[in-house]
Amino acid sequence: MALTDVPSAASDLNVRYRRHRRGAWAAALTWGVVVSALHFAGLAYGIYSELWWWDLLTHFTSGFGVAALLYLAWTEGFRSRIGLFVVLPVCVLCIGTWFEVYERLFKDFWYGWSNAFYLEDTAIDLVVDTLGAVAFGVVLRTYSRVRRSRASDRRQP
């Protein structure tokens, strides 16, 4: 028997989760397209100024999506409760903060926002981004529990 014939834990894990992970990546990337469409539609059609909650929707869904991408890219780092409900939301908060800095430095504000209003909007955006990441953690934990429960039900006679 050649060395390559011996299954390793890593290759076994890849075989078991390959199809599931492909679907998860496809779902996360589709989510990103939907969030981008929400954002650009909001800009193109003035929805941000017409619906007060549109900005909250786009930030929540983007926080959720960024959390999903980070989780898929580094699942092992976010497997524990602390990883999923503290580290992952903090990572999303950091990414959101950098986006807000970019937005402030490189975009003209259409509405002539005051510094006070901009700071308030930024704080709200970051909280909502982080809530999206926490919601991702809740959805992932719930999905994992349901999936484990169904798997154990199938194994029992």
Side-chain angles (χ1 to χ4, degrees), residues 6-150:
V6 178
S8 69
S11 67
D12 184 41
L13 186 68
N14 286 337
V15 169
R16 277 189 282 157
Y17 292 109
R18 188 174 296 140
R19 178 177 288 161
H20 174 71
R21 298 292 280 192
R22 260 188 287 184
W25 275 106
L29 294 173
T30 301
W31 186 272
V33 169
V34 170
V35 171
S36 296
L38 288 173
H39 171 67
F40 288 114
L43 291 175
Y45 299 109
I47 300 171
Y48 280 107
S49 60
E50 295 296 320
L51 301 174
W52 64 268
W53 49 266
W54 194 262
D55 190 44
L56 300 177
L57 174 69
T58 57
H59 277 277
F60 183 84
T61 55
S62 66
F64 190 99
V66 168
L69 291 172
L70 288 171
Y71 180 82
L72 288 169
W74 191 44
T75 301
E76 291 304 315
F78 304 120
R79 230 181 250 290
S80 70
R81 280 193 181 121
I82 290 176
L84 193 58
F85 292 108
V86 176
V87 177
L88 185 59
V90 168
C91 289
V92 170
L93 175 66
C94 290
I95 291 169
T97 300
W98 280 109
F99 176 79
E100 292 294 329
V101 168
Y102 156 80
E103 186 178 66
R104 181 68 173 146
L105 293 176
F106 298 109
K107 283 191 167 186
D108 293 331
F109 285 93
W110 321 247
Y111 308 112
W113 292 354
S114 68
N115 282 337
F117 182 81
Y118 180 76
L119 289 173
E120 178 183 335
D121 179 70
T122 297
I124 291 169
D125 290 349
L126 293 175
V127 167
V128 175
D129 288 340
T130 306
L131 288 174
V134 170
F136 171 79
V138 170
V139 168
L140 182 67
R141 292 285 286 198
T142 303
Y143 172 76
S144 296
R145 286 182 182 172
V146 168
R147 189 175 162 162
R148 273 191 306 249
S149 173
R150 287 184 180 166

